[in-house]
Amino acid sequence: MSVTLIGKHEKDARASRDAMALPLNEMMAQDKSICYVDCDLMGCVNTKQLRKNYPDRAFEAGIAEGNGAGICAGLAATGKKVFFHSFGTFSSRRCYDQIYMSAAYAGLPVHVLGSDAGVTAAFNGGTHMPLEDGAMYLSIPEATVTDPCDYAQLESVVRQLPGITKGVTYTRFVRKDIIQVYADGSQFEIGKGVVLHESDKDVCTVVASGIMVDEALKAYEALQTEGIAVRLIDMFTWKPLDEALLAKAARETGAIVTAENHNTCCGLGSVVANCLVKNCPVPMEFVGVQDQFGQVGPQAFLMDEYGLRAANIVAAVKKAVARK
Amino acid sequence: MKELNVKELQVLAAKIRLETLKVIHSRGFGHVGGSMDLADLMAVLYGAVMNYDPKDPRWPDRDWLVLSKGHAGPVAYATFGIMGYYPMEEAYTLNHPHTRFPSHTDRKLTPGVDLTTGSLGQGVSTATGAALGNKIDGRESHVFCVIGDGEADEGQVWEGLHFAYAHKLDNIVYFIDNNGYQLDGTTADVLAHSDLAAKAASFGLYTQEIDGHDIAAIYNAIVNAYAKKGVPSCIVLDTCKGKGATFAEPSHEHSSQPKEEQWAEAIAAAEKALAEAEKA
């Protein structure tokens, strides 16, 4: 792991999807065993170039995600390293049994890419808003589940995926606008959380992923002005989870707040709680979508609506600390 | 492909029927109906058509078999045992704890099983994906995918055929085991299909419909399918569910739990049928 934090809350000039599409284009040139399958959404994630550049290895499955997932499993059975994309709702709910049985249960690795993580589905609305995709993939044995927060982290994760040969993988990512958190070239290790801030005065640890990492950074700054020191961990790797890092943080800071762009039922908060109950139980609070359905609207509105803001993290930290 | 020798394949089919019964009898109950009706197809595939190596089940240039109707596992276990993938007796552990022979075919457990099936419809997609992968690699091999007529209720079956047509996969042959029955009764009663062969043809597949117990007809239909370039093939097999199992054939049962004397009668009848086939 080699990480440089920028964390100035500035929007990246690039579309987040290119952190997946451009490296994948390079990887397909180098590794002829990589295949790509999409379900009529190449135009949304800039992967039409793959079909143009590698017509014998990048395929349209059309608007038929269940079949598309099965095609991927069959390709994997012939030794291909297979990437499969649709919107997060359709690459989880719509093809779950196919991913579960044809790929995971059958021992065939397929790398699933779910775009428009959580409220970033925005104007496509509640029907297209994946708030349970992570939960579904977390419950598949041997799966790898990540929720990258920015361009550099998504690119680093995508480059590691072909090396994962056991279990299916699920990468939930943002398609368009993204805040830059890390410097380009930062290298992350799946299974290892990233400590963004720590001190020996920390009274609580905030564990965030995805778009909530930037909100957590803002919360960290706000708490600092109030003289409250907190540890901040980017836990983009939901599974495998960095249990040692979490247990250490719980022991040393005595309280935990999780922050996720996902239902708090069965997402990051749940796996962190599972881990801590076994290792070092401490007061915990959960920032995220509180067991609600998605809805349509601008991302900023949705973040306010569901309590996915720095202010919500600040309040949760105070509540957790008060419970110590 | 080997030359057609009808008598030899009829003997093999009789052996497969007998061993299928013995495999299921080892547990005492199971999916007899939909296994027994595939014995003639399995005899043609493994006795004359397919390239495979029992000592190297994952040989990359092999022909593949995908029983999308995964509950027909026992007929595959019987066939693979006869062909030398493992000692036949090993398969007499069907559905026992830690067996390599579960109800539904599992590629991680059983030598010879190419893809895991069980949730109906899914084998059509995975078989199609395997055909695509073999095509990318420029292999000459074929994938054979067996679909149940009840299974054809699943929309995914038709998504798979659509994909195969669109990607011009002429290295896959789909068989529809048209036995007319599913768990709750006849396919006509549960959820009436229109003409399955006409439906497959309307998806752009080169489609033939034959007697699924006629060895020569099965062999010749596969010869025709191999000759057809640029489109996938579908062969609808008109079959009798439970064929050759004395207790299952009359009622076309989906799964059976016969009494021990019924098993004895069925196995004796299958042994007699084998002896007659050998004598013929």
Side-chain angles (χ1 to χ4, degrees):
Chain A
M1 190 157 60
S2 158
V3 174
T4 305
L5 176 65
I6 291 182
K8 290 180 179 162
H9 319 300
E10 284 170 3
K11 188 164 107 48
D12 202 309
R14 303 161 295 186
S16 171
R17 59 187 163 225
D18 283 345
M20 178 277 289
L22 302 183
L24 193 51
N25 188 42
E26 276 178 42
M27 288 152 65
M28 287 182 79
Q30 289 154 8
D31 184 345
K32 308 282 186 232
S33 70
I34 298 179
C35 293
Y36 177 82
V37 176
D38 204 306
C39 304
D40 195 32
L41 292 174
M42 290 186 185
C44 295
V45 288
N46 197 19
T47 49
K48 279 191 176 177
Q49 58 182 311
L50 304 180
R51 199 176 180 205
K52 181 164 157 270
N53 295 341
Y54 316 103
D56 57 336
R57 288 186 285 133
F59 305 102
E60 274 288 5
I63 309 165
E65 295 78 9
N67 180 60
I71 293 293
C72 291
L75 283 167
T78 66
K80 307 293 178 229
K81 298 167 188 161
V82 192
F83 284 79
F84 177 54
H85 168 257
S86 185
F87 287 157
T89 41
F90 311 135
S91 61
S92 59
R93 300 201 303 254
R94 192 71 204 229
C95 58
Y96 190 62
D97 190 35
Q98 287 82 1
I99 289 289
Y100 193 102
M101 195 209 79
S102 290
Y105 180 84
L108 296 168
V110 172
H111 304 297
V112 184
L113 306 165
S115 56
D116 286 2
V119 296
T120 70
F123 296 113
N124 272 332
T127 56
H128 286 55
M129 197 160 287
L131 298 171
E132 64 297 303
D133 52 332
M136 297 177 79
Y137 277 93
L138 281 170
S139 61
I140 299 178
E142 302 174 353
T144 297
V145 183
T146 65
D147 184 33
C149 70
D150 81 342
Y151 197 102
Q153 195 172 56
L154 175 57
E155 173 165 0
S156 176
V157 166
V158 167
R159 287 189 184 280
Q160 290 174 59
L161 296 177
I164 299 176
T165 55
K166 188 170 187 188
V168 299
T169 73
Y170 182 67
T171 307
R172 67 193 308 263
F173 69 101
V174 176
R175 180 152 56 109
K176 296 175 187 165
D177 294 347
I178 193 88
I179 305 292
Q180 183 172 19
V181 175
Y182 300 105
D184 279 3
S186 291
Q187 304 288 321
F188 301 86
E189 191 180 331
I190 292 170
K192 296 285 179 200
V194 188
V195 179
L196 298 181
H197 290 292
E198 67 178 331
S199 78
D200 54 11
K201 298 191 178 60
D202 297 339
V203 295
C204 180
T205 300
V206 177
V207 181
S209 69
I211 63 168
M212 297 309 290
V213 171
D214 181 60
E215 294 297 322
L217 282 163
K218 289 179 187 163
Y220 168 85
E221 291 157 14
L223 288 162
Q224 241 189 353
T225 63
E226 295 185 47
I228 302 171
V230 294
R231 186 165 303 180
L232 179 51
I233 294 174
D234 172 358
M235 191 58 75
F236 71 96
T237 172
W238 287 17
K239 187 178 178 179
L241 191 66
D242 192 343
E243 299 208 358
L245 185 67
L246 290 168
K248 180 170 178 283
R251 264 195 313 274
E252 292 176 2
T253 71
I256 298 280
V257 168
T258 55
E260 63 195 297
N261 170 27
H262 185 273
N263 193 340
T264 55
C265 173
C266 308
L268 175 65
S270 292
V271 288
V272 171
N274 251 326
C275 162
L276 295 181
V277 166
K278 285 185 292 181
N279 291 290
C280 178
V282 295
M284 266 193 82
E285 294 293 333
F286 303 86
V287 174
V289 177
Q290 305 292 323
D291 212 16
Q292 295 159 281
F293 291 110
Q295 61 182 303
V296 76
Q299 183 178 326
F301 156 76
L302 294 166
M303 291 178 75
D304 292 339
E305 180 85 354
Y306 291 109
L308 306 181
R309 289 298 193 187
N312 304 101
I313 297 172
V314 167
V317 165
K318 290 177 180 170
K319 197 170 166 192
V321 170
R323 288 173 52 207
K324 275 181 163 181
Chain B
M1 247 174 140
K2 285 193 210 160
E3 292 273 309
L4 174 63
N5 181 330
V6 173
K7 193 208 153 180
E8 182 188 299
L9 296 180
Q10 281 171 338
V11 170
L12 178 55
K15 275 187 196 164
I16 293 171
R17 283 207 166 84
L18 173 61
E19 287 301 336
T20 301
L21 284 174
K22 286 162 82 176
V23 166
I24 302 174
H25 178 241
S26 71
R27 179 76 273 182
F29 54 88
H31 296 104
V32 174
S35 295
M36 293 296 278
D37 66 12
L38 292 177
D40 300 297
L41 172 66
M42 294 297 279
V44 174
L45 289 176
Y46 283 84
V49 171
M50 287 172 64
N51 291 311
Y52 58 92
D53 179 357
K55 302 292 166 236
D56 184 9
R58 293 272 158 89
W59 171 43
D61 284 319
R62 72 191 181 282
D63 292 316
W64 293 49
L65 175 77
V66 182
L67 287 179
S68 190
K69 45 172 288 187
H71 53 280
V75 76
Y77 308 151
T79 307
F80 301 162
I82 292 166
M83 294 304 167
Y85 282 80
Y86 39 75
M88 193 66 243
E89 296 71 32
E90 270 196 45
Y92 303 157
T93 59
L94 183 81
N95 292 335
H96 288 66
H98 300 304
T99 183
R100 293 201 292 167
F101 302 89
S103 267
H104 300 85
T105 51
D106 187 323
R107 68 181 287 279
K108 286 169 78 177
L109 293 180
T110 318
V113 171
D114 286 314
L115 285 161
T116 298
T117 56
S119 184
L120 293 172
Q122 295 196 25
V124 179
S125 303
T126 53
T128 306
L132 181 63
N134 289 336
K135 188 144 241 189
I136 293 170
D137 292 338
R139 300 188 194 282
E140 299 289 317
S141 58
H142 284 77
V143 175
F144 298 96
C145 175
V146 184
I147 305 164
D149 54 353
E151 181 181 12
D153 293 349
E154 290 279 3
Q156 188 174 350
V157 167
W158 304 97
E159 292 180 7
L161 302 188
H162 183 172
F163 184 97
Y165 167 77
H167 289 83
K168 302 184 171 57
L169 298 180
D170 53 10
N171 59 343
I172 186 163
V173 179
Y174 303 95
F175 296 96
I176 300 180
D177 179 11
N178 192 31
N179 60 35
Y181 285 82
Q182 56 196 110
L183 196 146
D184 273 343
T186 64
T187 52
D189 177 58
V190 174
L191 194 68
H193 293 291
S194 60
D195 182 335
L196 283 169
K199 276 169 96 165
S202 78
F203 274 69
L205 276 70
Y206 169 57
T207 304
Q208 306 167 76
E209 182 163 7
I210 57 169
D211 176 350
H213 300 304
D214 181 335
I215 296 278
I218 298 169
Y219 180 93
N220 290 327
I222 295 170
V223 170
N224 294 340
Y226 274 22
K228 197 82 182 171
K229 299 298 172 197
V231 291
S233 275
C234 177
I235 301 172
V236 176
L237 303 168
D238 294 328
T239 56
C240 169
K241 192 161 188 168
K243 176 85 171 174
T246 49
F247 54 81
E249 183 176 330
S251 57
H252 308 295
E253 282 174 339
H254 178 72
S255 52
S256 310
Q257 194 160 359
K259 295 189 183 112
E260 196 49 49
E261 54 265 31
Q262 291 175 293
W263 273 117
E265 184 193 355
I267 288 170
E271 281 170 342
K272 192 169 160 230
L274 173 57
E276 281 169 5
E278 282 171 335
K279 241 190 291 170

